[in-house]
Amino acid sequence: MAKDARTEFFYYIDGKPYRLTPGKDGITEEIITVLRDSYHAEKLNDRYEDELQDAKFKFSKTLHDTNPVAHPTDPVEHLVDNSQAPEEVLFQEELSPSIRDQVHAIIPQLIPAQQELFWKLCEGRQLVDIAREERTTDNAIRSRRRKMFDRIRALYAEEFGDA
């Protein structure tokens, strides 16, 4: 681009464009540069904010907000009796805090992947969601969960005796 060629810059106020020309009406190249940089920074921040939004979460929240009763938990889970599933026994509210504290004391002895899975399950996350997040299969997460609970049982029996 030639040295004397200038980029036109328009500043919009309430939708009306105003041409900013360096050297006219007290407008300098520095003012135009500051305005251009702030515009680009604002657009960049908007783009990053949009990228950080989770579209699936927004959609699910909108559905729940409009009709919270119409979206119950997964109906397949209600077909099977889960009352004796390890996570149901460990995380039920009636569980004695002393047993929960004992189990929480064992968790640091698990491998990191099992610790992470344990805390995700504590948050109430579904296995399919965890698998999708980790880009793996449901069976891989089920296997990790089974091994994790086997390890918890073994460590609990070793440390506190059989329950």
Side-chain angles (χ1 to χ4, degrees), residues 1-154:
M1 184 178 278
K3 190 173 190 177
D4 61 345
R6 296 175 188 238
T7 305
E8 289 186 340
F9 188 79
F10 290 89
Y11 191 74
Y12 289 85
I13 300 174
D14 296 327
K16 184 177 178 188
Y18 295 90
R19 179 182 296 174
L20 300 180
T21 308
K24 184 177 176 188
D25 298 325
I27 302 297
T28 63
E29 288 284 343
E30 290 81 23
I31 291 173
I32 292 176
T33 302
V34 168
L35 289 172
R36 183 180 296 122
D37 289 348
S38 68
Y39 171 80
H40 288 298
E42 182 180 328
K43 288 298 181 190
L44 188 63
N45 286 337
D46 289 346
R47 192 180 96 210
Y48 287 151
E49 186 176 323
D50 289 343
E51 288 176 0
L52 293 176
Q53 296 296 321
D54 185 355
K56 290 179 186 174
F57 175 76
K58 279 180 154 180
F59 179 71
S60 296
K61 184 174 183 333
T62 304
L63 283 179
H64 181 74
D65 290 345
T66 56
N67 194 358
V69 181
H71 305 289
T73 57
D74 187 4
V76 174
E77 291 189 19
H78 297 290
L79 297 176
V80 182
D81 177 20
N82 286 333
S83 63
Q84 296 303 313
E87 57 270 21
E88 292 294 324
V89 172
L90 284 175
F91 305 130
Q92 60 183 310
E93 290 304 316
E94 303 84 44
L95 189 63
S96 164
S98 62
I99 294 174
R100 184 176 293 142
D101 292 341
Q102 291 170 340
V103 170
H104 284 193
I106 292 172
I107 301 308
Q109 298 176 42
L110 299 174
I111 62 172
Q114 290 174 342
Q115 290 178 27
E116 185 179 344
L117 179 60
F118 179 83
W119 294 117
K120 286 178 181 179
L121 292 172
C122 286
E123 293 170 357
R125 310 249 316 261
Q126 299 292 319
L127 293 179
V128 292
D129 296 331
I130 296 169
R132 189 176 303 121
E133 176 185 302
E134 294 183 8
R135 294 190 168 110
T136 188
T137 64
D138 298 358
N139 286 336
I141 300 299
R142 282 187 187 90
S143 175
R144 189 184 317 156
R145 179 185 64 176
R146 182 182 42 77
K147 290 175 184 177
M148 175 191 70
F149 281 118
D150 289 346
R151 180 82 172 129
I152 288 173
R153 279 188 209 94

